[in-house]
Amino acid sequence: MINNQCELCGGCPLRKLSLEEYKALKVSDFKKTISQIKCGNPVFDEPIFINDGLRRRAELDFVYEKKQLKIGFYQNKTHNIIDINNCPMLHQSLRELLPDLRKFLSDICSIVITTKNKKKIISSTITKGSIRILKADNGIDIMLIVSNQASVEYRMLISEFVNMTPQIIRFSWQYNSELPETIVEKISPMLYISNYSINIPQGAFLQASKEAENAMINKMLEYVGDDGGRIVDLFCGLGTFTYPLTKNPKNNILSVDSSSLSLDGLRKAISQNQIHNVEVLNRNLFKYPLDYQELKGSKILVIDPPRASAHEQCREIAKIPHKDLPIKIVFVSCNPQTFVYDADILISSGYDLARITLVDQFVYSNHQELIALFTLNLNKE
């Protein structure tokens, strides 16, 4: 249902379109972007469209002025927060939490903290910040991000709020850009992938919805195939694609990322689930991409970079002699525009862009994602 809030909010600007119009526009824009790839003529597989109301994570901004709280998303192309009472793109459990969250933020912003600095009495309050909400597979995880220290008064209110709200299982506090601190944890937030249980580190990146995560895993596995061999999972994060790849005992996986937080979670899950065919490497792939010697012997690469894409790593792959190139590259991209550049590099180094799938998990937005399969052209050797 479209309301005034939806029309002003910048989160899903295409919501006015009918579902059929929206899907047609998304596919048309996607194919137009992919057409920019030189010598790229892939098979377009059936697009993956995720239904509305399934988003499991969000970061809401808030401001407290004149004893009034505004919480929501920024209006498109402005710094104005659109105050929301509901959000159709969020999972039902997160939508149901919004009234309680609003009251909690109003209460915590009303607290006046008094400190003494030499002879001066200083009073401070929380006036703005953001709050991350995540529907883990076993409850709701919350992180408050503000420029205030977590005083005793704040901690007491948080404890009361969490204890009175059964669905919340962890509440963390992040002061500016410092590492988050857990204030209350009833149980550790968990993620279940390929029948493995995984602890979710604070602030770890997850796909926007569980349904999108499962669909992308299935498509990745389809493109990888089941022959087995050495697979390098580049920009692996928490291990979303690593875990399903381990299910094939013929696979040996090297999982690489620069986030110590995510890799600590990955290592912990590997140990707890007694997974024996994974090696983990902490590496900044933008500054130090894996080179010929490190990639030699790899059968398949899975590449899932952030929005800036994997230019440096792709250029390093292009330096590998044709006979030593991996036979497949499965490329997951959250930015088709930057993917075009990387696709050109891989094609010029001897690959064919064989198949590609549009992934639409940010419903009624302009955002597009994709999964692509590159296969080594043996005739170019």
Side-chain angles (χ1 to χ4, degrees):
M1 180 177 178
I2 301 175
N3 54 36
N4 188 52
Q5 293 174 345
C6 291
E7 291 180 356
L8 293 173
C9 177
C12 37
L14 301 177
R15 189 168 287 276
K16 284 186 175 182
L17 298 176
S18 71
L19 187 58
E20 293 74 19
E21 291 172 325
Y22 167 72
K23 288 184 176 182
L25 177 63
K26 260 299 177 56
V27 171
S28 174
D29 287 348
F30 179 66
K31 289 187 175 181
K32 189 179 299 182
T33 300
I34 299 306
S35 70
Q36 299 173 36
I37 299 172
K38 301 170 186 175
C39 303
N41 187 27
V43 172
F44 285 87
D45 287 339
E46 189 70 23
I48 296 172
F49 284 101
I50 303 303
N51 290 334
D52 205 6
L54 294 176
R55 186 164 175 173
R56 65 180 173 185
R57 60 172 174 84
E59 182 166 338
L60 304 173
D61 291 282
F62 67 89
V63 61
Y64 189 74
E65 294 177 329
K66 298 178 182 180
K67 297 184 180 181
Q68 294 294 318
L69 181 81
K70 288 173 67 177
I71 176 173
F73 301 104
Y74 283 105
Q75 185 176 355
N76 193 24
K77 298 180 181 179
T78 75
H79 297 289
N80 178 42
I81 295 174
I82 301 301
D83 196 30
I84 64 169
N85 298 306
N86 191 12
C87 178
M89 70 180 180
L90 292 180
H91 190 278
Q92 181 179 349
S93 61
L94 298 183
R95 294 199 305 271
E96 292 173 350
L97 182 67
L98 289 177
D100 293 333
L101 204 58
R102 177 181 290 276
K103 183 180 185 307
F104 163 75
L105 288 173
S106 295
D107 290 343
I108 204 167
C109 289
S110 300
I111 295 175
V112 179
I113 305 298
T114 303
T115 57
K116 189 173 183 180
N117 184 3
K118 295 182 180 180
K119 295 183 179 181
K120 293 181 66 175
I121 302 296
I122 301 174
S123 297
S124 64
T125 60
I126 295 174
T127 59
K128 62 180 180 179
S130 59
I131 191 158
R132 292 178 185 170
I133 50 177
L134 167 68
K135 180 192 176 296
D137 287 346
N138 61 337
I140 294 177
D141 185 22
I142 295 179
M143 182 187 297
L144 181 66
I145 306 166
V146 291
S147 56
N148 304 67
Q149 298 277 9
S151 68
V152 173
E153 295 88 343
Y154 294 145
R155 293 171 186 270
M156 290 175 62
L157 182 61
I158 290 169
S159 296
E160 181 183 351
F161 173 56
V162 173
N163 289 328
M164 291 179 62
T165 314
Q167 61 267 42
I168 299 175
I169 57 176
R170 181 172 69 185
F171 195 111
S172 305
W173 183 290
Q174 184 173 354
Y175 170 61
N176 290 332
S177 58
E178 292 186 2
L179 290 175
E181 176 192 355
T182 300
I183 305 297
V184 179
E185 182 174 283
K186 297 174 184 174
I187 55 174
S188 179
M190 302 295 292
L191 188 66
Y192 303 108
I193 300 178
S194 299
N195 296 322
Y196 294 133
S197 57
I198 300 134
N199 294 84
I200 304 175
Q202 295 156 320
F205 172 81
L206 301 180
Q207 296 297 337
S209 71
K210 187 72 176 178
E211 290 73 13
E213 180 179 82
N214 289 336
M216 293 169 76
I217 286 172
N218 290 337
K219 182 58 67 172
M220 179 275 298
L221 290 175
E222 177 187 339
Y223 284 175
V224 166
D226 57 6
D227 290 341
R230 185 174 189 258
I231 300 177
V232 182
D233 185 3
L234 298 162
F235 305 95
C236 66
L238 191 59
T240 300
F241 296 127
T242 294
Y243 299 113
L245 288 169
T246 66
K247 289 295 186 176
N248 185 344
K250 295 180 287 186
N251 288 340
N252 289 296
I253 300 110
L254 172 63
S255 297
V256 189
D257 202 279
S258 62
S259 170
S260 299
L261 191 71
S262 294
L263 293 183
D264 287 345
L266 176 56
R267 290 189 182 97
K268 185 175 181 180
I270 289 170
S271 175
Q272 289 179 337
N273 291 283
Q274 300 183 45
I275 302 172
H276 303 294
N277 56 344
V278 180
E279 178 186 353
V280 177
L281 176 63
N282 191 323
R283 176 78 72 87
N284 185 332
L285 293 169
F286 295 110
K287 290 185 176 180
Y288 310 105
L290 297 192
D291 60 21
Y292 169 37
Q293 292 301 325
E294 292 168 307
L295 292 173
K296 190 175 182 180
S298 300
K299 186 174 182 180
I300 298 170
L301 305 182
V302 176
I303 307 177
D304 183 14
R307 287 189 63 79
S309 208
H311 303 336
E312 296 81 3
Q313 184 60 71
C314 288
R315 286 195 285 266
E316 202 64 36
I317 293 169
K319 297 177 185 178
I320 298 176
H322 193 278
K323 63 181 179 63
D324 293 325
L325 283 168
I327 62 170
K328 287 182 182 179
I329 296 176
V330 178
F331 203 118
V332 183
S333 174
C334 61
N335 188 346
Q337 291 290 346
T338 56
F339 168 78
V340 169
Y341 178 84
D342 287 343
D344 283 336
I345 293 175
L346 296 176
I347 290 170
S348 66
S349 67
Y351 286 94
D352 292 325
L353 177 55
R355 297 170 63 184
I356 195 164
T357 302
L358 164 65
V359 180
D360 179 45
Q361 63 172 318
F362 293 93
V363 188
Y364 294 111
S365 77
N366 292 303
H367 187 73
Q368 301 173 358
E369 301 184 71
L370 64 86
I371 302 180
L373 171 64
F374 294 87
T375 56
L376 188 61
N377 188 332
L378 300 179
N379 296 325
K380 291 183 179 181
E381 187 170 357

